[in-house]
Amino acid sequence: MIRTLGFGLPRLGPNLEYKRLLEGFWSGLLSQEKLLAGLQELEGLRATAYREAVDLHPAGELSLYDPMLDLAVALGLYAAPAGDLEAYYALARGNGALPLRKWFGTNYHYLVPRLPERPQYAPRPGWFPYPIGAPQEEGLPTLIGPYTLVRLAQNPPASPMEVQAHLEALGEAYGELLGWAGGRTVLLQEPALGLDGAGDHLSWLLPVYRTLAERTPLVLLTYYLPLEPGVAEALAQLPLKGLGLVYQPGSPLPHPAPGTALVLGVVEGNGVWRTDLAALQEALTPVVEAGQEVWLTSKAPLFHLPWRVAEPLPPGLEGRLAFAVERLKELSLLKGLLLGEGNPEAQAWHTPPLPWDRVPSPIPPSRPSRQVRRQGQKDLGLPPFPTTTIGSFPQTQELRALRRRLRSGQLDPAAYRARIQEAIRENIRLQEELGLDVLVHGEPERSDMVEFFAERLEGFHTTQGGFVLSYGSRVWRPPILFAPPKRRGSLVLEETLYAQSLTPKPVKAILTGPITLAAWSYLPQGVGFRETVLALAEALREEVKEVAAQGIRMVQVDEPALLEKLPLRERERPGYLEVVREAFLRVVGDLPPGVQVHLHLCYSDYAALRPFLEAMDPDVVSLEGARQDPSFLEALADLPVDLGPGAFDVHSPLEARVEEILARLQGYLRHLPPERLWVNPDCGLKTRKPEEAVANLRNMVEATKKLRERMGGKDADRT
Ligand code: GLN
Ligand code: ZN
């Protein structure tokens, strides 16, 4: 038997209904009643979309904010009485909110719960999944499984004994939670079973799953990562209704117990190109003919994709893309093919990849030695503890309105440019008045650090309405790379040169790096991450060369995605480090020693950073530090690179006082020699109000002056 299962259809809905409902409630425009009614209606819309295409789909997917938070509350980890949405949202976005973290290397952020110190849980079956997936709903009730919770918590148990204790306690708690399903088949989502080390935990996990499966019909769904063969085989022996795993044509499938369906992730949940259904038909036919019950599904939940392909596409892209709704359709087309139905649409569905003609150019020679660079950069004339910013200045409503008018044609490009120049003039004037040492143009022309480059590079398609969820109600529009990226003209050159023409102080040329551009876009068809990154690096290389040729002395590469793209699997990490090294060298490797290379990183776990800095060998690294314990610098202290751990938190609307900044800088100096410390904010100032940004920068400069006085200038001499 063959069935189709859809899951993870965007909770945003076809027209951002989810965002509007949540934000309406938070702003007080919508009552709780209206919010819940709106969500019910949205759930109806989603159910219809599922029903039109697939045989099976989950119920209870429409979290009020985040499914991990729902689970934490349902397990009694936090107090949020059923029906008390204020208490629930306080956990998501209040003062003591749970931290956010990237979910399995995707751009979705989940709320990270804390496990109780002692393995005791107080399940509240009535709460879960409140209120949307109530048992009267159609569909398979779904929730995230105990193993994923344990692995992804703030405090994953350290010793094997503790892991065992938590899993056993959770097994009982889940037993109670699953009772709410009233005997219906439950879809238990366990993507963490694909992580390294899952095999070591199986001996405790298997009995837990077995007990649950004996009481409740259970589909154990894994996705994102293919399972290790040993793990898959062991899980397949459980008395499950179905075992879900990422299908890899050519790799052997596990042999499930009789009556257990193999739920195969066959279409992408995280990429946009239509699936080669004929190839899958060929690969899967023997499995089906052998009598194995197969359910067809996606390799990842579909919320990493926009709802559906709904706007006109440029000529080469028509008929090539599949977003969430089209993925559901693919499942049904594939089922038809496997059942031997001749469907012309299924036959014509997929087109071979567009050509990817890229002749790789030779890697530039390695960068000049650190000593030669120091010598070459001496004339930059930097004082001790140089002050600078990360790039963006506040993006006012006015700037956003200008961009909208440019897009809609109400404003002509020349007028837009004049307004951008005006903003740059104002930013330079302000920085000079504040007394900053290294200036920036302020990025008024950039909507978003990835979309902006995607719009200026050939090879990218950007959408108007292709939104996906980032966290809570926050959305973004990933661009689609479809051909080797090419520089059409200035990316950052024009604005940087204009800014530099207004001041004798050095202005940094600021570019989003190749890793981040690739990480926050959809990859080209049939082209891997590595090749994409290197192609992007090549496009930036041209720009960077030009920037230096025109006399700019500092280049900053922004790579906030560097560490989040660190592969989940240990064995893939050395290869990743190599890609990062080569890509960075391609971007900045042609620069003469006199051009200072800055790297910016933020909001990551810096534990893995050191080998990357060694491999990339920048001159200066700015990173967010105001929310971290300064001791993370210890591991970097002996590297020959200058560091600018953030002097203040750019996300706080509270003013950072001079004394507070000074204390923070002194804290950094306990871990770093003075000649290596730079002074800058954590990240860009884009989201701050102008007066907040100015106050904080003024205090930052003031604190630096005090620091210079205290250090007597001598110890901190840079020469
Ligand atoms: N240069 C960018 C800015 O200042 C960097 C943004 C980021 O790191 N996320 O906004
Ligand atoms: Zn940043």
Side-chain angles (χ1 to χ4, degrees):
M1 190 170 35
I2 307 173
R3 298 219 256 183
T4 49
L5 164 73
F7 75 103
L9 197 61
R11 48 180 187 277
L12 272 180
N15 293 304
L16 304 185
E17 288 85 348
Y18 184 72
K19 180 179 175 65
R20 275 195 278 275
L21 286 166
L22 263 53
E23 290 175 1
F25 176 68
W26 297 335
S27 69
L29 284 174
L30 278 187
S31 66
Q32 174 160 333
E33 226 166 49
K34 286 251 165 64
L35 168 70
L36 296 181
L39 289 173
Q40 280 294 5
E41 197 178 315
L42 175 56
E43 187 63 336
L45 261 172
R46 295 172 69 259
T48 307
Y50 275 131
R51 247 190 334 255
E52 278 171 1
V54 290
D55 304 322
L56 300 164
H57 65 87
E61 280 186 305
L62 201 53
S63 169
L64 291 163
Y65 193 94
D66 172 59
M68 207 54 161
L69 176 61
D70 298 350
L71 178 64
V73 174
L75 284 167
L77 301 185
Y78 299 93
D84 185 348
L85 295 197
E86 299 295 340
Y88 176 91
Y89 283 126
L91 294 167
R93 51 200 299 277
N95 262 339
L98 275 56
L100 282 169
R101 200 195 283 157
K102 296 258 160 188
W103 169 252
F104 288 90
T106 68
N107 280 317
Y108 178 72
H109 304 68
Y110 71 102
L111 287 164
V112 196
R114 264 195 93 74
L115 300 179
E117 290 312 322
R118 282 197 283 151
Q120 284 168 0
Y121 295 85
R124 301 151 71 198
W127 196 92
F128 194 84
Y130 177 82
I132 309 301
Q136 65 273 16
E137 300 290 324
E138 62 166 87
L140 315 178
T142 188
L143 72 169
I144 294 170
Y147 188 56
T148 302
L149 173 70
V150 165
R151 288 294 300 262
L152 268 57
Q154 286 177 40
N155 52 342
S159 73
M161 253 171 52
E162 284 170 279
V163 177
Q164 177 179 13
H166 275 280
L167 288 176
E168 279 173 5
L170 281 167
E172 300 205 356
Y174 270 75
E176 283 188 49
L177 284 189
L178 297 197
W180 111 94
R184 291 181 301 158
T185 300
V186 170
L187 202 59
L188 196 64
Q189 305 190 27
E190 285 283 39
L193 286 167
L195 294 175
D196 284 346
D200 302 337
H201 297 143
L202 273 183
S203 54
W204 308 308
L205 265 173
L206 292 174
V208 169
Y209 291 142
R210 184 174 294 278
T211 311
L212 292 176
E214 276 162 3
R215 283 199 268 166
T216 306
L218 209 60
V219 174
L220 192 61
L221 188 62
T222 74
Y223 43 83
Y224 294 129
L225 296 161
L227 297 178
E228 297 292 342
V231 173
E233 203 57 65
L235 295 172
Q237 301 319 310
L238 294 167
L240 298 168
K241 279 277 284 206
L243 172 63
L245 41 96
V246 171
Y247 175 63
Q248 297 174 289
S251 300
L253 287 167
H255 305 82
T260 303
L262 281 181
V263 183
L264 301 179
V266 289
V267 302
E268 298 290 335
N270 229 334
V272 293
W273 304 98
R274 288 189 178 187
T275 308
D276 185 347
L277 299 175
L280 276 174
Q281 177 194 6
E282 199 180 313
L284 289 173
T285 299
V287 183
V288 174
E289 282 178 353
Q292 172 63 51
E293 178 174 349
V294 169
W295 298 6
L296 304 169
T297 190
S298 52
K299 299 185 215 184
L302 298 175
F303 66 80
H304 303 299
L305 295 169
W307 181 265
R308 71 165 350 129
V309 182
E311 43 188 90
L313 294 168
L317 282 187
E318 271 165 47
R320 289 185 172 271
L321 300 183
F323 293 166
V325 167
E326 288 81 12
R327 289 289 178 226
L328 296 179
K329 176 163 187 161
E330 288 187 331
L331 296 175
S332 95
L333 291 175
L334 178 59
K335 176 179 167 181
L337 286 175
L338 286 168
L339 290 175
E341 293 162 9
N343 178 343
E345 192 180 11
Q347 311 290 350
W349 182 254
H350 173 260
T351 340
L354 294 161
W356 178 265
D357 300 322
R358 191 178 80 86
V359 190
S361 59
I363 308 185
S366 62
R367 302 199 55 213
S369 76
R370 182 78 191 171
Q371 209 181 359
V372 171
R373 285 184 268 152
R374 270 224 177 274
Q375 206 55 37
Q377 292 165 24
K378 252 188 172 161
D379 65 327
L380 287 170
L382 298 171
F385 311 118
T387 51
T388 188
T389 59
I390 304 305
S392 60
F393 272 63
Q395 284 262 335
T396 54
Q397 283 305 330
E398 195 199 337
L399 276 173
R400 285 183 224 277
L402 277 182
R403 242 192 310 281
R404 270 199 304 276
R405 287 172 54 207
L406 175 73
R407 283 218 176 105
S408 66
Q410 283 168 286
L411 191 71
D412 69 82
Y416 176 74
R417 251 180 87 212
R419 301 294 293 274
I420 291 295
Q421 292 200 337
E422 202 177 288
I424 293 175
R425 277 201 300 280
E426 173 53 25
N427 289 337
I428 294 291
R429 189 202 59 72
L430 174 67
Q431 293 172 84
E432 291 201 312
E433 184 216 303
L434 289 168
L436 288 155
D437 303 309
V438 171
L439 309 195
V440 299
H441 76 282
E443 305 180 17
E445 76 288 8
R446 303 187 190 177
S447 49
D448 164 285
M449 66 184 296
V450 169
E451 194 175 59
F452 169 77
F453 284 86
E455 279 168 355
R456 287 203 180 181
L457 284 166
E458 219 171 90
F460 272 107
H461 171 64
T462 53
T463 68
Q464 293 293 315
F467 291 101
V468 298
L469 196 61
S470 169
Y471 64 91
S473 68
R474 297 290 282 265
V475 300
W476 61 298
R477 281 183 301 215
I480 299 167
L481 185 62
F482 62 91
K486 269 205 213 77
R487 184 175 169 270
R488 267 192 278 254
S490 157
L491 298 169
V492 305
L493 182 67
E494 184 185 320
E495 288 85 0
T496 312
L497 285 180
Y498 180 68
Q500 186 66 84
S501 75
L502 304 170
T503 175
K505 293 194 169 169
V507 173
K508 294 187 278 191
I510 299 180
L511 301 98
T512 303
I515 300 278
T516 301
L517 289 177
W520 295 353
S521 303
Y522 292 117
L523 299 185
Q525 189 176 15
V527 180
F529 185 71
R530 174 177 188 279
E531 167 62 22
T532 305
V533 166
L534 295 179
L536 285 162
E538 209 58 53
L540 298 180
R541 176 182 190 176
E542 293 309 307
E543 176 79 4
V544 165
K545 270 205 265 193
E546 185 69 30
V547 161
Q550 303 267 353
I552 297 295
R553 295 291 305 279
M554 293 187 180
V555 171
Q556 175 178 308
V557 181
D558 291 336
E559 287 286 26
L562 183 83
L563 289 173
E564 79 184 39
K565 273 292 153 189
L566 189 67
L568 295 169
R569 291 242 162 92
E570 196 84 47
R571 61 168 185 268
E572 291 167 12
R573 294 188 182 172
Y576 178 66
L577 180 66
E578 190 43 37
V579 177
V580 169
R581 193 192 67 79
E582 185 181 333
F584 197 68
L585 193 58
R586 281 189 184 276
V587 177
V588 302
D590 302 307
L591 291 174
V595 177
Q596 190 168 66
V597 174
H598 293 232
L599 170 68
H600 170 67
L601 303 166
C602 48
Y603 306 103
S604 13
D605 175 3
Y606 299 132
L609 181 58
R610 188 185 164 98
F612 288 94
L613 296 191
E614 282 171 330
M616 297 165 91
D617 190 21
D619 297 307
V620 184
V621 182
S622 57
L623 19 81
E624 148 268 340
R627 285 192 188 185
Q628 314 233 10
D629 186 297
S631 61
F632 78 87
L633 291 170
E634 210 57 58
L636 311 174
D638 63 315
L639 288 179
V641 55
D642 289 3
L643 291 168
F648 64 87
D649 176 3
V650 295
H651 288 121
S652 170
L654 301 177
E655 180 172 335
R657 305 259 158 215
V658 176
E659 287 309 314
E660 186 189 319
I661 297 179
L662 185 58
R664 187 167 288 132
L665 296 176
Q666 284 169 326
Y668 294 146
L669 284 178
R670 279 196 277 282
H671 305 278
L672 274 187
E675 68 278 7
R676 306 239 320 271
L677 182 68
W678 280 61
V679 178
N680 48 258
D682 269 354
C683 190
L685 300 166
K686 192 175 198 164
T687 57
R688 293 272 57 82
K689 295 200 181 105
E691 60 277 17
E692 293 167 347
V694 171
N696 283 349
L697 289 177
R698 202 181 292 288
N699 294 348
M700 183 183 93
V701 172
E702 188 54 37
T704 309
K705 276 192 195 140
K706 292 210 157 129
L707 186 66
R708 285 175 188 152
E709 279 159 25
R710 286 191 195 179
M711 302 291 294
K714 205 158 137 254
D715 297 343
D717 196 348
R718 305 185 62 77
T719 54

